[in-house]
Amino acid sequence: MRKSFRIAATAIALFAAGTARVSAQKASEWFLPDISSSTYIIEDYRTDTGKFSTHPLSAITASFGRGTSFEFTASYDIIKSKFMGLEGYLKIHPALNIRAGIQRMPFLHETTYSPRILEAVGFSQGASLLGGYSGDITGINSRSRDCGILLEGVLIYEGERAVLRYWAGVFNGNGYSFSDNNRAKDFQGKILFAPWKSISFTLGVMKAKYSPIGEDGKADGDLLLRRDRITAGIWGDWGRWYLRGENIFGWTGDSRNECAFLMGGYRPTENTAIGARMDYSNADIGSSTPSDIMKPQICFTHFLKGNALSYRLQYGRTIFSDPDKEGYGTVSLCAIFRFGLSLRKDT
């Protein structure tokens, strides 16, 4: 039991150390948070069934000590009624900073972005099937969050621009929970190399074990299955034009899995974008039953008042390699609302 709470204890210690570092400023000022809320409403229409489905997401976030040497952030998932983020961030040196608590998993670069700033409806199949966002084949679905201790920093600068960044940490592997459900710990790491201002490359890895969830809703902590991931991505932005792509290869139990997407687009104006995404997944490579799924999509995005309000209209096809499954089209309308408020006197 004591082992299960080591990460939580470290997070508390980090909080204590961080608040000590900012004791020079008024405590009351540090405890005045920046508050933001985000709401996503996605309405899908399937052309084969003629049915609509709604997928709401809503969260509220409070950030304390923004811009100081120690920051603390709490994010609450209103739909699932649980905290999706409780993390402390201690700034020690540009090359070494510590983040502890429930936070975004770093190995998949796509999900380190907020979906509200991406020019597509929803994340890729890789984020869902292999990245723990939703519908993960392990059953661990926590919007790509986990509880752990992460070291991160910038190793190489060109002027003020970060050329080489790294992330490396140890996680419970149990999603939103501070407690672990088995005796294993997960390692995650990523490097980002940006040789030019407009383009960067990422390599990520997760070396992990997981315990499958039984019919009773509990995991057998003595049963450990493989959950390894390797990712590689390219991220380019040239103002009007942009290009994004990431491949994720995984081993889940006895199966091999692969997902990849490539998205490119054009921004006719500062607040509009037209993008096309090819999204591929294979949940079980080498299976006797073909499991490849292709999803070509085209999306129009319109940002109103910066990132505070936006909507997206997308059409996509779902194409199965299994001849017994018929493909279908999906029309998606996504509305995103964001509200921000700072209680600090210096803003």
Side-chain angles (χ1 to χ4, degrees):
M1 178 65 69
R2 185 171 60 183
K3 180 180 178 181
S4 300
F5 292 94
R6 285 179 180 172
I7 289 179
T10 303
I12 294 172
L14 183 66
F15 181 87
T19 52
R21 292 195 63 178
V22 297
S23 60
Q25 75 176 84
K26 295 180 180 179
S28 58
E29 183 74 7
W30 189 92
F31 281 100
L32 293 176
D34 293 336
I35 301 173
S36 64
S37 65
S38 298
T39 300
Y40 310 79
I41 302 175
I42 303 173
E43 189 75 18
D44 289 336
Y45 172 76
R46 279 186 49 165
T47 59
D48 59 334
T49 62
K51 294 182 178 180
F52 290 88
S53 60
T54 304
H55 310 280
L57 298 171
S58 187
I60 186 168
T61 299
S63 299
F64 299 85
R66 180 69 60 87
T68 68
S69 59
F70 177 73
E71 301 176 5
F72 182 81
T73 302
S75 299
Y76 189 74
D77 188 328
I78 298 174
I79 302 299
K80 291 190 175 183
S81 300
K82 60 179 64 179
F83 283 99
M84 65 179 188
L86 278 172
E87 62 177 89
Y89 182 53
L90 181 61
K91 302 175 185 178
I92 301 174
H93 185 273
L96 178 62
N97 303 289
I98 304 175
R99 193 182 300 271
I102 300 173
Q103 57 190 284
R104 295 175 187 266
M105 297 195 295
F107 81 97
L108 185 66
H109 194 61
E110 178 189 9
T111 53
T112 61
Y113 288 89
S114 169
R116 75 173 183 272
I117 64 174
L118 299 177
E119 295 92 346
V121 176
F123 287 122
S124 69
Q125 295 182 80
S128 295
L129 294 174
L130 303 179
Y133 191 81
S134 63
D136 195 280
I137 58 180
T138 64
I140 304 173
N141 300 301
S142 56
R143 293 181 65 177
S144 294
R145 263 76 171 181
D146 207 340
C147 182
I149 305 169
L150 185 72
L151 304 180
E152 59 180 272
V154 180
L155 299 178
I156 299 177
Y157 280 97
E158 185 178 276
E160 296 184 355
R161 184 176 67 87
V163 175
L164 183 64
R165 302 186 63 178
Y166 77 93
W167 295 260
V170 179
F171 294 81
N172 279 339
N174 194 23
Y176 291 126
S177 179
F178 272 101
S179 63
D180 208 341
N181 63 1
N182 58 42
R183 64 180 184 275
K185 287 291 183 283
D186 299 353
F187 169 78
Q188 295 186 37
K190 183 179 64 184
I191 59 173
L192 184 148
F193 176 53
W196 305 282
K197 180 180 179 180
S198 58
I199 193 168
S200 60
F201 303 91
T202 64
L203 288 174
V205 63
M206 179 169 73
K207 184 70 176 175
K209 301 285 186 180
Y210 78 100
S211 297
I213 300 173
E215 295 181 358
D216 59 355
K218 298 180 180 179
D220 182 357
D222 294 327
L223 178 60
L224 298 177
L225 302 180
R226 190 178 184 184
R227 190 192 181 196
D228 296 341
R229 308 285 187 257
I230 297 176
T231 66
I234 181 172
W235 309 87
D237 197 316
W238 298 269
R240 293 288 190 183
W241 298 92
Y242 61 91
L243 176 70
R244 303 189 185 100
E246 191 164 21
N247 177 272
I248 175 170
F249 191 91
W251 293 263
T252 309
D254 295 327
S255 68
R256 293 178 297 136
N257 336 104
E258 185 174 20
C259 298
F261 81 91
L262 185 64
M263 180 177 181
Y266 175 70
R267 301 184 181 100
T269 65
E270 290 184 358
N271 61 343
T272 60
I274 300 173
R277 178 170 66 179
M278 181 62 72
D279 189 7
Y280 165 82
S281 73
N282 188 333
D284 192 358
I285 298 173
S287 172
S288 57
T289 301
S291 58
D292 302 73
I293 300 176
M294 295 288 291
K295 290 187 176 183
Q297 301 160 334
I298 186 167
C299 182
F300 171 75
T301 299
H302 187 191
F303 292 98
L304 303 172
K305 297 183 179 180
N307 292 331
L309 175 63
S310 65
Y311 69 88
R312 289 163 196 157
L313 182 62
Q314 180 171 289
Y315 176 76
R317 292 285 302 177
T318 299
I319 304 169
F320 300 96
S321 61
D322 187 344
D324 294 330
K325 295 182 178 180
E326 293 187 7
Y328 58 87
T330 303
V331 179
S332 301
L333 176 63
C334 176
I336 302 176
F337 308 90
R338 185 176 185 273
F339 171 79
L341 173 67
S342 178
L343 301 181
R344 291 180 297 161
K345 298 178 182 179
D346 58 351
T347 57

